[in-house]
Coordinates of all heavy atoms in Angstrom, one line a residue:
H279 N -47.0 44.3 -29.5 CA -46.9 45.5 -30.4 C -46.1 45.2 -31.7 O -45.4 46.0 -32.1 CB -46.3 46.6 -29.6 CG -47.0 47.0 -28.4 ND1 -48.1 47.9 -28.5 CD2 -46.9 46.7 -27.1 CE1 -48.6 48.0 -27.3 NE2 -47.9 47.4 -26.4
I280 N -46.4 44.1 -32.3 CA -45.7 43.7 -33.5 C -45.9 44.7 -34.6 O -45.0 45.1 -35.3 CB -46.1 42.3 -34.0 CG1 -45.9 41.2 -32.9 CG2 -45.4 41.9 -35.3 CD1 -44.5 40.8 -32.7
R281 N -47.1 45.2 -34.7 CA -47.4 46.2 -35.8 C -46.6 47.4 -35.6 O -46.1 48.0 -36.5 CB -48.9 46.5 -35.8 CG -49.4 47.4 -36.9 CD -50.9 47.5 -37.0 NE -51.4 46.4 -37.8 CZ -52.0 45.3 -37.4 NH1 -52.1 45.0 -36.1 NH2 -52.4 44.4 -38.2
D282 N -46.6 47.9 -34.3 CA -45.8 49.1 -34.0 C -44.3 48.9 -34.3 O -43.6 49.8 -34.9 CB -45.9 49.5 -32.6 CG -47.4 50.0 -32.3 OD1 -48.0 50.6 -33.1 OD2 -47.8 49.6 -31.1
I283 N -43.8 47.8 -33.9 CA -42.4 47.5 -34.1 C -42.1 47.4 -35.6 O -41.1 48.0 -36.1 CB -42.0 46.2 -33.4 CG1 -42.0 46.5 -31.9 CG2 -40.6 45.7 -33.8 CD1 -41.9 45.2 -31.0
I284 N -42.9 46.6 -36.4 CA -42.6 46.5 -37.8 C -42.7 47.9 -38.5 O -42.0 48.2 -39.4 CB -43.6 45.5 -38.5 CG1 -43.4 44.1 -37.9 CG2 -43.5 45.5 -40.0 CD1 -42.1 43.4 -38.3
G285 N -43.7 48.7 -38.0 CA -43.8 50.1 -38.6 C -42.6 50.9 -38.3 O -42.1 51.6 -39.2
Q286 N -42.0 50.8 -37.2 CA -40.8 51.5 -36.9 C -39.6 51.0 -37.7 O -38.7 51.7 -38.1 CB -40.4 51.5 -35.4 CG -41.3 52.3 -34.5 CD -41.3 53.8 -35.0 OE1 -40.2 54.4 -35.1 NE2 -42.4 54.4 -35.2
L287 N -39.5 49.7 -37.9 CA -38.5 49.1 -38.7 C -38.6 49.5 -40.1 O -37.6 49.9 -40.8 CB -38.5 47.5 -38.6 CG -38.2 46.9 -37.3 CD1 -38.4 45.4 -37.3 CD2 -36.8 47.3 -36.8
K288 N -39.8 49.6 -40.7 CA -39.9 50.1 -42.0 C -39.6 51.6 -42.1 O -38.9 52.0 -43.1 CB -41.4 49.9 -42.5 CG -41.7 48.4 -42.9 CD -43.1 48.2 -43.4 CE -43.1 48.5 -44.9 NZ -44.4 48.0 -45.5
K289 N -40.0 52.3 -41.1 CA -39.7 53.8 -41.1 C -38.2 54.0 -41.1 O -37.7 55.0 -41.7 CB -40.4 54.4 -39.9 CG -40.3 55.9 -39.8 CD -41.1 56.4 -38.6 CE -40.9 57.9 -38.5 NZ -41.7 58.4 -37.3
S290 N -37.5 53.2 -40.4 CA -36.0 53.4 -40.2 C -35.3 52.7 -41.4 O -34.0 52.7 -41.3 CB -35.5 52.9 -38.9 OG -35.6 51.5 -38.8
Q291 N -36.0 52.1 -42.3 CA -35.4 51.3 -43.4 C -34.5 50.2 -42.9 O -33.4 50.0 -43.5 CB -34.6 52.3 -44.4 CG -35.6 53.3 -45.0 CD -34.9 54.3 -45.9 OE1 -33.7 54.5 -45.8 NE2 -35.7 54.9 -46.8
Y292 N -34.9 49.5 -42.0 CA -34.2 48.3 -41.4 C -33.9 47.3 -42.5 O -34.8 47.0 -43.3 CB -35.1 47.7 -40.3 CG -34.6 46.4 -39.8 CD1 -33.5 46.3 -39.0 CD2 -35.2 45.2 -40.1 CE1 -33.0 45.1 -38.4 CE2 -34.8 44.0 -39.6 CZ -33.7 44.0 -38.8 OH -33.2 42.8 -38.2
E293 N -32.7 46.8 -42.6 CA -32.3 45.9 -43.6 C -31.8 44.6 -43.0 O -31.1 43.8 -43.7 CB -31.2 46.5 -44.5 CG -31.7 47.7 -45.3 CD -30.7 48.3 -46.2 OE1 -29.5 47.7 -46.3 OE2 -31.0 49.3 -46.9
G294 N -32.2 44.3 -41.8 CA -31.7 43.0 -41.2 C -32.7 41.9 -41.4 O -33.5 41.9 -42.3
F295 N -32.7 41.0 -40.5 CA -33.5 39.8 -40.6 C -34.7 39.8 -39.7 O -34.7 40.3 -38.6 CB -32.6 38.5 -40.2 CG -31.5 38.3 -41.1 CD1 -30.2 38.7 -40.8 CD2 -31.7 37.5 -42.2 CE1 -29.2 38.5 -41.7 CE2 -30.7 37.3 -43.1 CZ -29.4 37.8 -42.9
L296 N -35.7 39.1 -40.1 CA -36.9 38.7 -39.3 C -36.9 37.2 -39.4 O -36.9 36.6 -40.4 CB -38.2 39.3 -39.9 CG -38.3 40.8 -40.1 CD1 -39.7 41.1 -40.7 CD2 -38.2 41.5 -38.8
S297 N -37.0 36.6 -38.2 CA -37.1 35.2 -38.1 C -38.5 34.8 -37.6 O -38.9 35.2 -36.5 CB -36.0 34.6 -37.1 OG -36.2 33.3 -36.9
L298 N -39.3 34.1 -38.4 CA -40.6 33.8 -38.1 C -40.6 32.6 -37.2 O -40.1 31.5 -37.5 CB -41.4 33.5 -39.3 CG -42.9 33.3 -39.2 CD1 -43.6 34.5 -38.5 CD2 -43.5 33.0 -40.5
E299 N -41.2 32.7 -36.0 CA -41.2 31.6 -35.0 C -42.7 31.2 -34.8 O -43.4 31.9 -34.1 CB -40.6 32.1 -33.7 CG -39.1 32.3 -33.8 CD -38.5 32.3 -32.5 OE1 -39.0 31.6 -31.5 OE2 -37.4 32.9 -32.3
P300 N -43.1 30.2 -35.4 CA -44.5 29.8 -35.4 C -44.9 28.9 -34.2 O -45.4 27.8 -34.4 CB -44.7 29.1 -36.7 CG -43.4 28.4 -37.0 CD -42.4 29.4 -36.4
H301 N -44.5 29.2 -33.0 CA -44.8 28.4 -31.9 C -46.3 28.5 -31.4 O -46.5 29.0 -30.4 CB -43.9 28.8 -30.7 CG -42.4 28.7 -31.0 ND1 -41.5 28.9 -30.1 CD2 -41.8 28.4 -32.1 CE1 -40.3 28.7 -30.6 NE2 -40.4 28.4 -31.9
L302 N -47.1 28.2 -32.3 CA -48.6 28.3 -32.0 C -49.2 27.0 -31.6 O -50.4 26.9 -31.5 CB -49.3 28.8 -33.3 CG -48.8 30.2 -33.9 CD1 -49.5 30.5 -35.1 CD2 -48.9 31.3 -32.8
G303 N -48.4 26.1 -31.2 CA -48.9 24.8 -30.7 C -47.8 24.1 -30.0 O -46.7 24.6 -30.0
D304 N -48.1 22.9 -29.5 CA -47.1 22.2 -28.8 C -46.1 21.6 -29.8 O -46.4 21.3 -30.9 CB -47.7 21.0 -28.0 CG -46.8 20.5 -26.9 OD1 -45.7 21.0 -26.7 OD2 -47.2 19.5 -26.3
F305 N -44.8 21.4 -29.4 CA -43.8 20.8 -30.3 C -42.8 20.1 -29.4 O -42.7 20.4 -28.2 CB -43.1 21.9 -31.1 CG -42.4 22.9 -30.4 CD1 -41.1 22.8 -30.0 CD2 -43.1 24.1 -30.0 CE1 -40.4 23.8 -29.3 CE2 -42.4 25.1 -29.3 CZ -41.1 25.0 -28.9
V306 N -42.1 19.1 -30.0 CA -41.1 18.3 -29.3 C -40.1 19.3 -28.8 O -39.5 20.1 -29.5 CB -40.5 17.3 -30.2 CG1 -39.4 16.6 -29.5 CG2 -41.6 16.3 -30.7
G307 N -39.8 19.2 -27.5 CA -38.7 20.0 -26.9 C -39.3 21.2 -26.2 O -38.6 21.9 -25.5
F308 N -40.6 21.6 -26.4 CA -41.1 22.8 -25.7 C -41.0 22.7 -24.2 O -40.6 23.7 -23.6 CB -42.6 22.9 -26.1 CG -43.2 24.2 -25.6 CD1 -42.8 25.4 -26.1 CD2 -44.1 24.1 -24.6 CE1 -43.3 26.6 -25.5 CE2 -44.7 25.3 -24.1 CZ -44.3 26.5 -24.5
S309 N -41.3 21.6 -23.6 CA -41.2 21.5 -22.1 C -39.8 21.7 -21.7 O -39.6 22.2 -20.6 CB -41.7 20.1 -21.7 OG -41.0 19.1 -22.2
D310 N -38.8 21.4 -22.5 CA -37.4 21.6 -22.1 C -37.0 23.1 -22.1 O -36.2 23.5 -21.3 CB -36.4 20.9 -23.0 CG -36.5 19.4 -22.9 OD1 -37.0 18.9 -21.9 OD2 -36.2 18.7 -23.9
L311 N -37.7 23.9 -22.9 CA -37.5 25.3 -22.9 C -38.1 26.0 -21.7 O -37.7 27.1 -21.4 CB -38.1 25.9 -24.2 CG -37.4 25.4 -25.5 CD1 -38.2 26.0 -26.7 CD2 -36.0 25.8 -25.6
E312 N -39.1 25.5 -21.2 CA -39.8 26.1 -20.0 C -39.3 25.5 -18.7 O -39.8 24.5 -18.2 CB -41.3 25.8 -20.2 CG -41.9 26.4 -21.4 CD -41.8 27.9 -21.5 OE1 -42.0 28.6 -20.5 OE2 -41.5 28.4 -22.6
G313 N -38.3 26.1 -18.2 CA -37.6 25.6 -17.0 C -38.4 25.5 -15.8 O -38.2 24.6 -15.0
D314 N -39.4 26.3 -15.6 CA -40.2 26.3 -14.4 C -41.4 25.3 -14.5 O -42.1 25.1 -13.6 CB -40.7 27.7 -14.1 CG -41.7 28.2 -15.2 OD1 -41.9 27.6 -16.2 OD2 -42.1 29.4 -15.0
G315 N -41.6 24.7 -15.7 CA -42.6 23.7 -15.8 C -44.0 24.3 -16.0 O -45.0 23.6 -16.1
D316 N -44.1 25.6 -16.1 CA -45.4 26.3 -16.3 C -45.7 26.4 -17.8 O -45.4 27.4 -18.4 CB -45.3 27.7 -15.7 CG -46.7 28.4 -15.7 OD1 -47.7 27.7 -15.8 OD2 -46.7 29.6 -15.5
I317 N -46.2 25.3 -18.3 CA -46.4 25.2 -19.8 C -47.9 25.3 -20.0 O -48.7 24.6 -19.4 CB -45.9 23.9 -20.3 CG1 -44.4 23.7 -20.0 CG2 -46.2 23.7 -21.8 CD1 -43.9 22.3 -20.2
P318 N -48.3 26.2 -21.0 CA -49.7 26.4 -21.3 C -50.2 25.1 -22.0 O -49.4 24.4 -22.6 CB -49.7 27.5 -22.3 CG -48.4 27.8 -22.7 CD -47.4 27.2 -21.7

């Protein structure tokens, strides 16, 4: 629901940070983040 969330942030005049996380593919260290080993 990114669109809904961004809409609410704009409506409330949010002035904080958005951090873009482009984890759209495999990257070094990804398997370490997935503790259960269930990696797509």
Side-chain angles (χ1 to χ4, degrees):
H279 299 280
I280 304 287
R281 184 171 274 99
D282 295 322
I283 291 169
I284 296 293
Q286 287 301 312
L287 294 177
K288 284 182 87 169
K289 185 177 178 181
S290 70
Q291 298 181 337
Y292 173 72
E293 294 184 1
F295 294 95
L296 301 179
S297 171
L298 186 58
E299 293 199 27
H301 301 186
L302 301 177
D304 197 6
F305 59 91
V306 174
F308 183 70
S309 61
D310 293 338
L311 295 175
E312 300 297 316
D314 62 3
D316 187 19
I317 303 168

